[in-house]
Amino acid sequence: MTALSLTKVNKSFGKVQVLYDIDLQVDEGEFVVFVGPSGCGKSTLLRVIAGLEDATSGEIFIAGEQVNMTPPAKRGIAMVFQTYALYPHLTVRGNMALALKQEGQPKDVIAARITEASRMLDLDPYLDRRPSELSGGQRQRVAIGRAVVRQPKLFLFDEPLSNLDAALRMNTRIEISDLHRSLGATIIYVTHDQTEAMTLADKIVVLRDGRVEQVGSPMELYNNPANQFVAGFLGAPSMNFLPASTVGGAEGLTLGVRPEDLARDPAGLLEAEVTHVEHLGGDTNVVLRGPVGTDITLRLFGQHEIGFGETLRLGFPPERAFYFDAEGRRVAA
């Protein structure tokens, strides 16, 4: 069953158009991530789905029902924001119960839903605490719990991990993934972090300048990017780009090679000078200055001693090379 359908959705603020003909289908139970750089329109698109902004044109269907004219509270959605937006005077239990009380749910239903959400999110020890007594990660879990108890048709997450440090981001990411599996819920998740997109999504929607660049599973997009923008946006370290002519390719084309697909090779076609080395323990990232002054990143697994200023020859499997034309479109070599 289709949980969300968007057809030719456009959004303008006055004379400024920010979304262009967005078409998207989300199946029930899918975890879909909108990803792209700042200003690409991903949060605006989420707000249009939620009804916090009106679409200028196009159709929005949630669970088969058109909702363009339906207010947010009636769309069957629950949102989790970057800011926790918890009521400071209410306990954790009170924050999770509030929306259910406003809906007029019976006390036993409210209690049962809070018990289940608290169990899923490991909030039992904190139910009688107020937000000021919680850490940032705990507050975000309460915000997620507040959404869970509503049992919505759609969960909408707007950069929920941005305010957390690196360790908490990873832990909360795992909790959200576990929650998705436990609930079988449909989740739309906005982030600018491609690592979050790659690790969480069943389906990624890559946006740029208000347009959808490509839709697919994480590995589909990673292995078969439609264009240079998608190829460069997904992957860390990001894909290397240099003129194809430097390795004997056609003039006017750009060659793309991922850092892990490069290897030290005495017979390699690329010669480059080491300008920086990052020792990460399990990996070693080597930054080199290549032909025509292009920076190249080589990713080596394990620990390697490589000196600054050293000259390396690099090769790569031809089947792992990508080629793009002057407009950034993917082309054959």
Side-chain angles (χ1 to χ4, degrees):
M1 180 179 174
T2 301
L4 172 69
S5 177
L6 306 178
T7 304
K8 301 298 180 191
V9 170
N10 292 273
K11 174 63 181 175
S12 298
F13 293 100
K15 296 181 179 180
V16 179
Q17 188 165 353
V18 294
L19 295 176
Y20 298 82
D21 290 336
I22 304 293
D23 291 320
L24 181 65
Q25 295 264 90
V26 176
D27 293 333
E28 190 172 330
E30 271 193 312
F31 197 128
V32 176
V33 176
F34 296 167
V35 69
S38 295
C40 71
K42 54 189 184 293
S43 288
T44 299
L45 180 56
L46 194 77
R47 291 174 64 82
V48 167
I49 293 168
L52 300 176
E53 300 285 356
D54 293 328
T56 304
S57 62
E59 296 179 321
I60 305 165
F61 289 83
I62 295 177
E65 179 184 348
Q66 187 170 2
V67 296
N68 288 63
M69 304 305 293
T70 305
K74 302 293 185 181
R75 292 195 180 194
I77 57 105
M79 289 196 73
V80 179
F81 298 95
Q82 177 180 345
T83 53
Y84 317 123
L86 301 176
Y87 290 98
H89 65 289
L90 296 179
T91 63
V92 168
R93 191 191 311 274
N95 270 280
M96 288 199 288
L98 183 61
L100 299 179
K101 289 180 179 178
Q102 292 171 338
E103 292 174 7
Q105 295 287 352
K107 289 183 179 180
D108 59 335
V109 171
I110 295 173
R113 291 192 189 179
I114 290 174
T115 297
E116 180 62 12
S118 178
R119 181 192 62 78
M120 287 181 180
L121 294 163
D122 196 24
L123 288 172
D124 287 352
Y126 314 110
L127 286 174
D128 295 318
R129 295 189 188 182
R130 287 182 168 77
S132 61
E133 300 173 287
L134 304 176
S135 69
Q138 290 163 349
R139 291 179 200 177
Q140 191 57 280
R141 276 159 42 205
V142 176
I144 294 169
R146 185 175 54 189
V148 168
V149 298
R150 296 185 62 194
Q151 299 182 350
K153 299 172 186 175
L154 277 179
F155 286 90
L156 305 180
F157 288 77
D158 191 4
E159 304 214 39
L161 309 186
S162 296
N163 288 341
L164 305 181
D165 62 32
L168 276 175
R169 279 201 303 271
M170 182 174 179
N171 290 339
T172 309
R173 198 164 68 222
I174 292 170
E175 288 172 354
I176 291 172
S177 183
D178 288 344
L179 183 69
H180 174 242
R181 283 192 294 271
S182 299
L183 295 174
T186 307
I187 295 177
I188 312 293
Y189 187 105
V190 164
T191 182
H192 64 276
D193 186 331
Q194 59 91 22
T195 300
E196 285 180 31
M198 293 290 289
T199 54
L200 285 171
D202 298 319
K203 179 190 291 180
I204 294 176
V205 180
V206 181
L207 291 136
R208 176 174 60 160
D209 297 334
R211 293 179 170 86
V212 173
E213 292 288 317
Q214 192 173 357
V215 179
S217 72
M219 297 319 296
E220 284 172 348
L221 269 57
Y222 190 82
N223 292 321
N224 292 294
N227 55 48
Q228 189 172 343
F229 175 79
V230 175
F233 193 82
L234 295 178
S238 60
M239 183 179 284
N240 297 299
F241 297 111
L242 62 157
S245 58
T246 59
V247 293
E251 290 286 342
L253 294 185
T254 296
L255 166 69
V257 183
R258 295 206 179 275
E260 66 270 22
D261 290 327
L262 288 173
R264 300 175 73 173
D265 180 358
L269 297 175
L270 281 173
E271 184 177 86
E273 180 183 343
V274 176
T275 59
H276 182 67
V277 180
E278 295 180 334
H279 297 286
L280 303 175
D283 297 333
T284 304
N285 292 334
V286 184
V287 182
L288 307 101
R289 182 61 47 81
V292 298
T294 306
D295 282 339
I296 298 171
T297 302
L298 165 67
R299 183 184 181 191
L300 299 172
F301 296 98
Q303 300 178 12
H304 299 263
E305 291 300 325
I306 297 175
F308 177 83
E310 188 175 340
T311 298
L312 304 182
R313 278 203 167 271
L314 306 173
F316 53 89
E319 67 273 13
R320 295 300 300 159
F322 301 85
Y323 293 89
F324 307 95
D325 66 14
E327 282 72 45
R329 294 172 298 211
R330 177 98 173 268
V331 296

